[in-house]
Amino acid sequence: MVENLVKIKNLVVEYNTSKGILGKKETIHAVNGVSLDIKRGEILAIAGESGCGKSTLARAIIKLEDAKSGEIDFEGKNILTMDKKELKNFRTKAQMIFQNPYSSLNPKMKIIDTLREPLKINTDYKNDIIDGIVLEKAEKTGLTAEALNRFPHEFSGGQRQRIAIARALVLNPEFILADEPVSALDVSIQAQIINLLKDLKETFNLTFLLITHDMSVIKYLADRVAIMYLGEIVEIGTTEELFSAPKHPYTKALLSSVPQLTGKKEEIILQGDLPSPANLPTGCKFHTRCQYCMDICKTVPSESTQLSDTHSVRCHLYNK
Ligand code: SF4
């Protein structure tokens, strides 16, 4: 059996914001009781509309966002209760790749210094060891030695994403969280970066959490997919299961918008917009937009039903 690298239990993330000119306070319920396992060596994708909570979930897993409650076990240890030393160790093993590589690179630093920095902060390696690691990771991500002496503004978006990926790799992490890693890039460059991530996963035996709204990226890269709606996982299964036999009405609607991936021609148009996470619907959170909504859906939250060892769905249509 494949070991779980990450085990998330009942994770809740909320934050407060001010709204409008009167600055009325409201609570954003971004992640609402997510439980999820990420197996060592897999690429697990989280998909859903913008605002569904997928990026907040990723940021909470890497401790860039505080969780209100729940548990996030990494190699059996809850990161929410780690002390400073344990957290420092965790941060070397888990790295994040962001959507916009430019904002994650210091414009005043040469690339070589950007890549050296995590090693200088987190290890006591001598300079020649550090430079050896930097050169190896630069080469593996397709950067030339000459490129290392340049600054971020001298590169294209695709090259900058390669730099950000090399920086994420220098500490030899086990786990990479990639938040929309290709959505800011030109379509012509996206395939190169997707293939690079796939190669690096094999070369360095990495585990990936991939956050994306792009179902074609998921179909190509991911081993499993979790569909998120208003802070909940509404369906999870292997990529094959979800693309060939989606069950949740929301998953079906998401996939119907990319007929070239599923072979199904009829697009399901969702009613209305995504409700505000500050004002969650009662019952099943999808009921305000679901064409199959029943009376029970409006008041009773839907529970998760296991359809196979790997496939589960949260919908009253499948409750026994
Ligand atoms: Fe639709 Fe009801 Fe299923 Fe929710 S529980 S997805 S409203 S059928």
Side-chain angles (χ1 to χ4, degrees), residues 248-249 284 286-287 290 292-294 297 302 315-317:
H248 196 281
C284 165
F286 187 59
H287 87 257
C290 181
Y292 305 104
C293 180
M294 305 170 281
C297 305
S302 44
C315 172
H316 286 304
L317 291 172

Side-chain angles (χ1 to χ4, degrees), residues 94-140:
Q95 295 286 316
M96 192 143 179
I97 300 167
F98 296 92
Q99 178 177 356
N100 183 349
Y102 201 54
S103 63
S104 60
L105 299 173
N106 183 338
K108 293 186 181 143
M109 267 171 112
K110 282 186 177 174
I111 304 309
I112 192 156
D113 293 322
T114 292
L115 299 185
R116 281 171 176 155
E117 191 181 45
L119 290 156
K120 290 197 165 170
I121 293 171
N122 292 289
T123 73
D124 45 19
Y125 295 157
K126 297 213 162 59
N127 288 345
D128 56 336
I129 302 281
I130 288 179
D131 283 356
I133 295 170
V134 164
L135 276 174
E136 184 219 347
K137 296 300 176 348
E139 188 191 310
K140 288 277 196 265

Side-chain angles (χ1 to χ4, degrees), residues 83-99:
D83 60 27
K84 260 189 169 174
K85 196 173 158 205
E86 289 170 325
L87 210 48
K88 191 174 175 192
N89 184 37
F90 166 72
R91 288 198 196 283
T92 66
K93 294 183 173 181
Q95 295 286 316
M96 192 143 179
I97 300 167
F98 296 92
Q99 178 177 356

Side-chain angles (χ1 to χ4, degrees), residues 234 247-250 283-294 296-298 300-303 313-319:
V234 296
K247 298 297 183 205
H248 196 281
Y250 180 58
C284 165
K285 295 186 176 54
F286 187 59
H287 87 257
T288 56
R289 302 169 84 193
C290 181
Q291 59 178 316
Y292 305 104
C293 180
M294 305 170 281
I296 187 176
C297 305
K298 296 176 187 167
V300 181
S302 44
E303 297 289 329
V313 62
R314 184 188 275 254
C315 172
H316 286 304
L317 291 172
Y318 301 92
N319 286 354

